Amino acid sequence: MLFIWSGWGILAVPVIIGTAVVVGALGGFALRAVGHPDLMFLAVSLGLFAAAAANWLVGRRLNGAPPRELVDPATNQRVLLRRRHALFWVPIQYWSLPVALAAFVPLLALRNL
């Protein structure tokens, strides 16, 4: 698979996958401990929601940094340099939206209960 990123945009991949796996596994262990292993889809959904939230926070922190201001000595004009962190040309905080929408897919299992 080909990944195209700028700045720290590639950080979205391990943040989303890592958070989803850790929170989903902890939720699954908790559900098994209380005797409800049949509700594992709730742990998956919770993991995806947590991954979306974590990615949003990381993206806002990285892309919200103040720009660097330079002055062109020839024209005395101000130039603002902004560092952009994107994955596939999309700022990383906006990758949280499809992850949050994917979190609703396991909840469709509630219709079958």
Side-chain angles (χ1 to χ4, degrees):
M1 176 179 251
L2 178 70
F3 285 108
I4 301 169
W5 72 88
S6 63
W8 284 100
I10 193 68
L11 194 60
V13 175
V15 167
I16 291 172
I17 293 173
T19 305
V21 168
V22 168
V23 173
L26 290 175
F29 290 142
L31 284 171
R32 275 191 228 115
V34 296
H36 294 290
D38 52 331
L39 297 177
M40 187 63 171
F41 63 91
L42 291 176
V44 172
S45 183
L46 177 66
L48 288 172
F49 275 125
N55 188 59
W56 179 263
L57 292 174
V58 168
R60 293 295 295 169
R61 170 82 183 215
L62 288 174
N63 285 323
R68 200 171 127 197
E69 183 178 333
L70 301 174
V71 177
D72 185 6
T75 62
N76 256 354
Q77 193 173 22
R78 285 183 8 180
V79 177
L80 297 177
L81 297 178
R82 209 174 278 279
R83 180 113 188 215
R84 186 168 175 218
H85 305 280
L87 180 65
F88 292 112
W89 303 284
V90 177
I92 61 175
Q93 67 265 26
Y94 296 120
W95 283 101
S96 299
L97 183 64
V99 174
L101 291 175
F104 285 108
V105 172
L107 293 179
L108 294 176
L110 283 173
R111 290 182 27 191
N112 298 334
L113 291 180

